[in-house]
Amino acid sequence: MPDWRPLTEDVRPATESKQRPTVCFVGPMVGRNPGWVTTQGEILADQFTNEGWTVQETSRLPSRPLRLLDTVSCLVRWHRRIDVVVL
């Protein structure tokens, strides 16, 4: 007879949560600065962090040219640590 489980039970193996990929959110994370509006990327990054995922974010710099440089430099520095990039 098959092993039936209620739909509310978490059926993931216990080790799966430890093997989650590191997610990098790329975009204007300027809402991290006082006086700026929170962006969708920041909201998603916070939700993933609250669920136990390892999250990297770039970039919170308000200036577009500096933000571009920061984003590229972060992706180059983090390329071995991140598994998924969300643009």
Side-chain angles (χ1 to χ4, degrees):
M1 184 148 204
D3 179 24
W4 297 99
R5 299 178 187 162
L7 293 176
T8 57
E9 183 180 337
D10 188 5
V11 293
R12 292 177 294 176
T15 59
E16 183 180 328
S17 62
K18 295 179 183 177
Q19 297 176 358
R20 287 182 175 161
T22 299
V23 180
C24 178
F25 287 90
V26 176
M29 304 294 181
V30 293
R32 301 287 187 214
N33 299 315
W36 290 80
V37 176
T38 303
T39 64
Q40 296 91 338
E42 294 165 326
I43 294 168
L44 278 175
D46 290 343
Q47 289 178 345
F48 271 78
T49 301
N50 291 339
E51 290 295 322
W53 291 68
T54 303
V55 174
Q56 297 281 357
E57 298 178 38
T58 188
S59 164
R60 65 178 56 189
L61 297 175
S63 168
R64 285 183 180 181
L66 291 178
R67 191 166 57 237
L68 174 63
L69 291 174
D70 183 47
T71 298
V72 171
S73 69
C74 286
L75 290 174
V76 169
R77 283 181 294 150
W78 299 340
H79 79 278
R80 289 193 175 111
R81 286 188 277 173
I82 54 178
D83 301 305
V84 178
V85 176
V86 180
L87 300 175

